[in-house]
Amino acid sequence: MIFASDNWAGASAPVAAALAAAAAGMAPAYGSDAVTRTVEARFREVFERDVAVFLVTTGTAANALSLQALMRTAGMVICHEGAHIHGDEAGAVEFFSGGRLHPVPGAAGKLDADAVASAIGRYPAGGRNGRPVAVSLTQASELGTVYRPDEISAIADTARAAGLSVHMDGARFANALVSLGVSPAEMTWRAGVDVLSFGATKNGCWCAEAVVLFDPSRAEDLRYARQRAGQMVSKSRFLAAQFEAYLHGDHWLDNARHANAMARRLADGIVAGRFGRLNTPCEANEVFAILPDAARRRAEAAGARIYPWPPTGDAEVREGETLMRLVASFATSAEDVDRFLAILGDG
Amino acid sequence: MIFASDNWAGASAPVAAALAAAAAGMAPAYGSDAVTRTVEARFREVFERDVAVFLVTTGTAANALSLQALMRTAGMVICHEGAHIHGDEAGAVEFFSGGRLHPVPGAAGKLDADAVASAIGRYPAGGRNGRPVAVSLTQASELGTVYRPDEISAIADTARAAGLSVHMDGARFANALVSLGVSPAEMTWRAGVDVLSFGATKNGCWCAEAVVLFDPSRAEDLRYARQRAGQMVSKSRFLAAQFEAYLHGDHWLDNARHANAMARRLADGIVAGRFGRLNTPCEANEVFAILPDAARRRAEAAGARIYPWPPTGDAEVREGETLMRLVASFATSAEDVDRFLAILGDG
Amino acid sequence: MIFASDNWAGASAPVAAALAAAAAGMAPAYGSDAVTRTVEARFREVFERDVAVFLVTTGTAANALSLQALMRTAGMVICHEGAHIHGDEAGAVEFFSGGRLHPVPGAAGKLDADAVASAIGRYPAGGRNGRPVAVSLTQASELGTVYRPDEISAIADTARAAGLSVHMDGARFANALVSLGVSPAEMTWRAGVDVLSFGATKNGCWCAEAVVLFDPSRAEDLRYARQRAGQMVSKSRFLAAQFEAYLHGDHWLDNARHANAMARRLADGIVAGRFGRLNTPCEANEVFAILPDAARRRAEAAGARIYPWPPTGDAEVREGETLMRLVASFATSAEDVDRFLAILGDG
Amino acid sequence: MIFASDNWAGASAPVAAALAAAAAGMAPAYGSDAVTRTVEARFREVFERDVAVFLVTTGTAANALSLQALMRTAGMVICHEGAHIHGDEAGAVEFFSGGRLHPVPGAAGKLDADAVASAIGRYPAGGRNGRPVAVSLTQASELGTVYRPDEISAIADTARAAGLSVHMDGARFANALVSLGVSPAEMTWRAGVDVLSFGATKNGCWCAEAVVLFDPSRAEDLRYARQRAGQMVSKSRFLAAQFEAYLHGDHWLDNARHANAMARRLADGIVAGRFGRLNTPCEANEVFAILPDAARRRAEAAGARIYPWPPTGDAEVREGETLMRLVASFATSAEDVDRFLAILGDG
């Protein structure tokens, strides 16, 4: 009953097998191997257009390099106040890019176009305090919700009209994608996204993230930036092999569908059993539920691993309750979900 | 016949097996897993003292974080002019640490205490142009030679007397270690090294490097620095599992001994057959040989992968010759070495 | 009728005369001149203790270097959300120090100890998102209010208890000082301030700011930092001569008393004449008044230079009104104040 | 007998008078004052074209901002090994720009096109270690020599052909200009210079440097960069007033002609009297002379302030001799020169 985080899982069987198979033999280093070439082609196929792809080792690095690619002197990145880049990455974006973040609130963990417009308006042209250069949105969001393509477009249009670029932190890209049932293109560049942090670690890989540039003219700078950031893995097929297995056929989408289904099963069970209340809709692989502390203690005593989440503006958390985040992954079993629900209900 | 680099190899069988075994099951993330704890204890055993260990994904990151740990405002790091941090890392040390490098020449790819003293003398106290804060030496060096403990001590004593710290770039740490036949402690902190980049990737891992702090009081800063640099891998047991297998028993030393023996076989064969001349002594797993271009072309035509190396001050490279770097790894076979030698001699 | 800002004034007569007198003759450069020595001694006298003083050219540089002196890796500086370092310096603190700001709200432009404690609490030990390392408070505040020594002490005690240092942005240091009627020591180090940006430009100099370190052991790093930041003026007596005249006798305090008196005259006149309402108490040389737009237009038509200020949480600004900032300086005349008040009342 | 440096002088009479005159009255801040507008127009006149001008307080800041304007990720700036940016600015260029320097040797303190081409060749396209993005040359050079326009063009053509930009560190711009007898345009943009650090401090101002962009499209970024660097002086007319007086009529050129004539008088006197040997030709306002130590001691005993200079590759300094740098300024008198020569000859 591990619902602590999707990064408590290991690697999916196909990914593990791909790595084991790749271990033997020699291959050119520093991204010049054949598997990396294959993966780059697969990304073009997945996104139905030319893209520049940079494989890196962590989501933090992917975000920081992505926003470095969009930065200009004294630039600000508008993001949700709950964004991972703001609250969990120790200032990596600021360190890599030399810019700053401008966090804004937003219901259900999401930015909206009005909030973005208002933030942009804080920086009049010719002002002394810097300038907004990009918007970063997280898909799925930090509260387990998902931006619809029209919501992304509305934000991107607002950004673009003011000269800003758009970044998507896709740490849970696949979970959002299968939740919406749209194509990768529809969820990104067709909606106005310029640069994507494409996450694969949480959904079945060991350590495999990518920066995807929809404008390949930014690629030369990013190539140098990745090298300078210590993110150019020498035995590069090691990253590529994970991606090859991950993106083979529907493996990545299947993993995400399973994780989402498990989260849905959790959320539905909590609501149906009246074990607690949902703080935000369950739209991907995370459940944000307000649980009675007694139920939480029972679950923990039974070995469940779950974490509280800082109450956001959305939640009404009463005395004797806690907002908990419950995360499902490709490795979560229906048995564990049901057992957990049974314990919650066993009050 | 791949002698292009030791990073063309994949993962050793025990490392690959350990990763495969770790793929299943759940574990806490961000370095709080049990395997990471085990590996940290193993490092203390290997170095015979308390150390703080930070697992990271690349040698560039290990070097840059190590030197960030030693940096002070406007600080300079004295290094060999051929050092990897100076010529191959796109400015990562400068980017991470905010300091600069002061490269100096030195025979056979090595610094010596006099050159270090002379470089330090370039920055008188109270000067305007910054101050030396650390010396970085590469073990084994970029020209395949190895510092003896007394050479390291001489440099470290010179550094220490002037208030500088000492970093060792141990990308080929194991190769140097077995070459010298000394203990890890003798080659590092007992000789005056403060911070070590401990490389495992080139010697059997996929992607596994560590910063080892012999002064654990620097650990708190480094923990934040690693996070901010995007080097805190979420599924941390993935790095730890590689290290666990790598450092199990003598596996890492056996790998290095094999690689060194293959390099020695190459070097001896070249000298014995008068196929070329050694540019620098073969003391670890690399051979720097001046080969006739005709021999090089024959080898390449037969499928050998070898690279030229920029001539250094040491080499006398004549018309019709090229300085070549030949690198052996744990995965190099004696058959390949002998076949390569036969081709060189087949002129 | 210039109430736009205190930096619209030029230099006071004694400062201008001192510069003119210093123009002739030769003197050592880079801070080794005799006038700089004299000024440093004067600072020790003013603060009644040993201090390290670094003369620089702008308040932004003074703040950024001050906070660089207090920074640690991934560090956060807690400041008021209206602080100049947050809203007006284009990210200078982040750029110089490599750290980030954590802005918090607070009544009347001031932090309080509870808000500081709460911000500190957002960063639990061992957390991933960095750590608070300093509090920065602005004296006088950006809303023209002044921290009493006991308020400073309360904040500093809270900071110190959690291992944080304390910075004071004293762009209007003298104005606050004469407002409180305390000594420079009482308003700074005796209340727990570690580093001070000592502003002289707004109060009579052309271009003269200082970083004052109450812990001189930080001086060596800062000397290098100033040089690297392009803030080491070669003809250093040029800065020193301004400070010498500024700190001679009570000149600096007289200037501040005059400016404060003019602001008080403005504030009192507005209240007495019911021309508008004060947004925040007038405690130094700035008046934040909510004025009817008609009165504002009359004043502007008559040549007054005044600026609106973004409404803060404190102000109740109604339709047809605007929050205006009116700033007095050493060069403001009572005639201008009275003329301005007459126009406001002439509705 | 002060020949220590041209920054030991104060301000010229017209500059001092202009500052005194500007002290009274109010003016808009942050560069929006009328004097700044006038100075910008004067720069356009001086350079016979549109330029963007940014007034700053130090030459180090001017250089660092200039090169920040030309920087790209992991970029290298090729400069002479004796360049001020390499040896005297504590890493300011690296700090501001995030790039690195690639120093190269060159006779008489100057780069030549071949050395630049060779340095560029060290960074093949697609390489891992960064890329050259600019050449920086110092006019007059750190050894008192001057680049002819055709020499500048040759370097700039080489740079341009490889995609690099060209920066000129004009700390002694006027001295070089009057030495060559060419126009500012001929010595800069017509010869291929993109960005100029225009120095006025050493030649009669207190504290007045400018970044001149010959491509005004770079201006928006630089405006933010100056603000973020703490180089936007609030009472901006203070910088502008100095420039207004400096560039009025031929004042700046007259100052430089005088300084050059005094240096020439020194150099000629040393050669004619056989008091020592010139290390490099005297082409601006500096004399690099190898003097017998006995003569040096006599001069110092008589109160002369002169400094030794680290011997460069050019100088043959024998036992009992020292390479000395003797600098003349607008404030140097012929009497001092003659007295100094008499002492040298009085052996």
Side-chain angles (χ1 to χ4, degrees), chain B residues 95-149:
Chain B
F95 172 53
F96 278 57
S97 77
R100 287 176 290 161
L101 303 182
H102 180 114
V104 299
K110 298 198 290 184
L111 293 171
D112 64 37
D114 285 348
V116 168
S118 165
I120 292 171
R122 295 275 296 269
Y123 300 95
R128 288 212 306 280
N129 195 33
R131 53 185 163 176
V133 299
V135 175
S136 176
L137 46 85
T138 310
Q139 179 77 321
S141 85
E142 295 297 325
L143 288 180
T145 54
V146 171
Y147 290 91
R148 295 188 315 269

Side-chain angles (χ1 to χ4, degrees), chain B residues 111-312:
Chain B
L111 293 171
D112 64 37
D114 285 348
V116 168
S118 165
I120 292 171
R122 295 275 296 269
Y123 300 95
R128 288 212 306 280
N129 195 33
R131 53 185 163 176
V133 299
V135 175
S136 176
L137 46 85
T138 310
Q139 179 77 321
S141 85
E142 295 297 325
L143 288 180
T145 54
V146 171
Y147 290 91
R148 295 188 315 269
D150 66 294
E151 291 174 315
I152 299 171
S153 289
I155 289 169
D157 290 349
T158 300
R160 192 95 47 222
L164 281 70
S165 303
V166 179
H167 166 247
M168 178 179 281
D169 175 356
R172 295 186 176 92
F173 186 85
N175 302 98
L177 195 69
V178 301
S179 171
L180 290 168
V182 299
S183 74
E186 287 170 306
M187 203 168 83
T188 57
W189 62 274
R190 284 202 179 117
V193 173
D194 296 290
V195 181
L196 168 68
S197 300
F198 183 95
T201 304
K202 290 181 196 294
N203 191 39
C205 290
W206 267 128
C207 169
E209 306 282 321
V211 177
V212 180
L213 298 178
F214 297 112
D215 172 5
S217 80
R218 301 184 196 270
E220 190 193 358
D221 280 6
L222 195 53
R223 193 173 66 77
Y224 285 109
R226 177 178 58 173
Q227 180 77 22
R228 191 179 64 152
Q231 287 289 339
M232 176 73 260
V233 169
S234 59
K235 295 182 176 178
S236 45
R237 65 180 141 156
F238 137 74
L239 286 178
Q242 295 180 72
F243 271 111
E244 190 178 34
Y246 180 72
L247 294 173
H248 184 73
D250 282 350
H251 178 55
W252 61 305
L253 303 175
D254 291 342
N255 278 359
R257 280 188 197 107
H258 176 81
N260 288 8
M262 291 300 103
R264 163 65 45 207
R265 189 180 188 107
L266 260 173
D268 288 352
I270 287 169
V271 170
R274 306 201 175 186
F275 305 148
R277 305 187 310 285
L278 298 191
N279 175 57
T280 27
C282 169
E283 298 177 352
N285 66 318
E286 298 181 289
V287 179
F288 289 80
I290 299 164
L291 298 180
D293 292 342
R296 173 191 173 183
R297 279 191 296 269
R298 276 198 310 280
E300 290 175 345
R305 298 300 300 263
I306 57 180
Y307 284 128
W309 197 255
T312 75

Side-chain angles (χ1 to χ4, degrees), chain C residues 174 177-178 184 203 246 249-259:
Chain C
L177 194 70
V178 300
N203 192 39
Y246 181 73
D250 280 352
H251 179 55
W252 62 305
L253 304 175
D254 291 343
N255 278 0
R257 282 188 196 106
H258 176 80

Side-chain angles (χ1 to χ4, degrees), chain A residues 9-66:
Chain A
S12 74
V15 167
L19 264 186
M26 300 269 185
Y30 296 119
S32 54
D33 60 286
V35 192
T36 297
R37 287 295 87 70
T38 301
V39 167
E40 288 167 349
R42 179 68 175 124
F43 267 98
R44 288 192 289 272
E45 196 175 88
V46 164
F47 285 99
E48 305 173 47
R49 59 165 290 164
D50 192 19
V51 295
V53 180
F54 293 85
L55 309 187
V56 297
T57 62
T58 66
T60 294
N63 287 335
L65 288 169
S66 291

Side-chain angles (χ1 to χ4, degrees), chain C residues 43-64:
Chain C
F43 267 99
R44 288 192 291 272
E45 197 175 85
V46 164
F47 284 100
E48 305 173 48
R49 61 165 289 163
D50 192 21
V51 294
V53 180
F54 293 86
L55 309 187
V56 299
T57 63
T58 66
T60 295
N63 287 335

